[in-house]
Amino acid sequence: MRYALVNNERVEASHGLSALCPGCGQPMVAKCGDRRVHHWAHRGRRTCDHWWEPETRWHRQWKSHFPADWQEFVQVAADGERHIADVRTGHGLVLEFQHTHLRPDERAAREAFYPNLIWVVDGTRLKRDAPRFAAGGQMLRPTPWRGIYTVAFPGECFPPNWLDCRVPAFFDFAGAGPVAPGVMPVERYLWGLLPGRAEGHGVVVALGRETLVRAAHERPQILDAVGIVGFLQARFRAERVAAMQEGRRLPSGKRSKRRRVWRRPRQRRRF
């Protein structure tokens, strides 16, 4: 964890400090080595939140875009269950930055616990993820909105365990390093898969990192995912119905002719 409580104040890890966990109140140890980012850890191998994962430089970079009091927010449900969100904004939007592999059941549990959530996924953890998106991205089709696309086969672009998310999932294929101005679009943008389908098509959003951060500061939703998918669903359905009607319609001025079927002549009965 980046912050722990010292004299009831949130403080970053430093040599010689003793602190308490803001989630469970247990003692924390400052880890200030050279191999990993400085952080707080529970004494021993104990952790108060089994959803928590070791923080990487990529995590730290993303969290640093937000105020300190938004980071590592302890959220408590009505039944007393508590978890520590990576970031919870002043508008109630939770951002979870996911680097390690996440089981589908745990992902679904987090989506159920946080009522207003988006994922930002490290797309550089597995070497095959970025090339898969680069190849599958050639099948993206534009929509009336700039930066929003549809794809007939979302599995050709995104990892299979993220296809059925109930919230938007944005993939960061650039990682923790700085993004050069001339890089390919795969790394230049975050690529988000919206929940739901539009007549079976996945809806994909290309969003700049600064745009996502600014939207998270200013409003409770990065974008209206439900409205966008719903609009495209209605549009695809209308196009499908129109195509079916066009297929049944005959050219003007011509009447259909019933196809004649040859039948064997009946033989006259002889007496």
Side-chain angles (χ1 to χ4, degrees):
M1 297 177 64
R2 183 172 187 174
Y3 296 100
L5 299 178
V6 177
N7 296 326
N8 210 31
E9 293 185 1
R10 290 161 54 89
V11 176
E12 295 193 52
S14 181
H15 288 287
L17 285 182
S18 298
L20 299 177
C21 174
C24 65
Q26 296 300 312
M28 304 285 282
V29 178
K31 300 288 186 177
C32 302
D34 298 327
R35 295 185 178 182
R36 294 178 56 188
V37 294
H38 293 187
H39 64 283
W40 293 101
H42 288 82
R43 291 188 183 275
R45 296 185 178 181
R46 179 184 180 280
T47 180
C48 62
D49 188 353
H50 62 276
W51 288 354
W52 196 257
E53 65 173 299
E55 189 170 72
T56 63
R57 181 165 159 257
W58 176 80
H59 281 94
R60 188 65 62 89
Q61 275 194 351
W62 267 108
K63 289 164 67 173
S64 65
H65 291 297
F66 302 94
D69 57 341
W70 287 6
Q71 300 179 34
E72 299 177 3
F73 184 90
V74 180
Q75 183 147 324
V76 184
D79 61 358
E81 183 180 359
R82 61 175 56 206
H83 294 285
I84 304 174
D86 285 329
V87 169
R88 185 182 185 275
T89 72
H91 299 286
L93 173 66
V94 170
L95 296 94
E96 286 281 84
F97 304 107
Q98 189 63 33
H99 169 76
T100 60
H101 170 73
L102 188 62
R103 300 192 319 270
D105 59 334
E106 182 177 326
R107 176 180 53 75
R110 294 199 204 182
E111 292 172 356
F113 181 79
Y114 297 116
N116 187 17
L117 168 70
I118 68 165
W119 294 100
V120 179
V121 183
D122 185 358
T124 66
R125 186 181 71 88
L126 297 179
K127 294 182 179 180
R128 62 178 177 269
D129 284 351
R132 171 175 48 205
F133 183 84
Q138 299 178 15
M139 297 186 294
L140 296 179
R141 295 294 177 261
T143 71
W145 294 292
R146 181 179 179 182
I148 299 180
Y149 308 88
T150 60
V151 59
F153 305 102
E156 298 291 329
C157 298
F158 299 100
N161 57 320
W162 291 96
L163 295 178
D164 60 344
C165 285
R166 296 192 298 174
V167 300
F170 292 90
F171 288 80
D172 179 5
F173 294 112
V179 181
V183 297
M184 299 294 289
V186 173
E187 298 180 7
R188 190 183 313 151
Y189 300 103
L190 300 174
W191 295 91
L193 178 64
L194 300 188
R197 295 290 181 267
E199 287 287 284
H201 292 71
V203 182
V204 180
V205 179
L207 205 62
R209 290 162 180 78
E210 299 81 5
T211 303
L212 183 142
V213 171
R214 184 170 60 252
H217 277 79
E218 296 176 353
R219 51 183 184 263
Q221 289 184 320
I222 301 300
L223 42 75
D224 182 10
V226 174
I228 292 172
V229 175
F231 173 87
L232 294 174
Q233 164 78 5
R235 178 173 180 173
F236 279 139
R237 183 186 295 117
E239 291 176 351
R240 177 169 56 83
V241 171
M244 292 174 62
Q245 293 175 344
E246 289 288 336
R248 289 196 301 264
R249 188 178 303 158
L250 295 170
S252 58
K254 295 184 179 180
R255 301 178 63 181
S256 63
K257 296 182 179 179
R258 181 175 296 179
R259 183 181 177 185
R260 298 183 63 181
V261 179
W262 181 84
R263 288 187 175 87
R264 191 170 186 171
R266 295 180 62 183
Q267 293 183 357
R268 180 175 298 178
R269 180 180 296 179
R270 296 182 179 179
F271 296 94

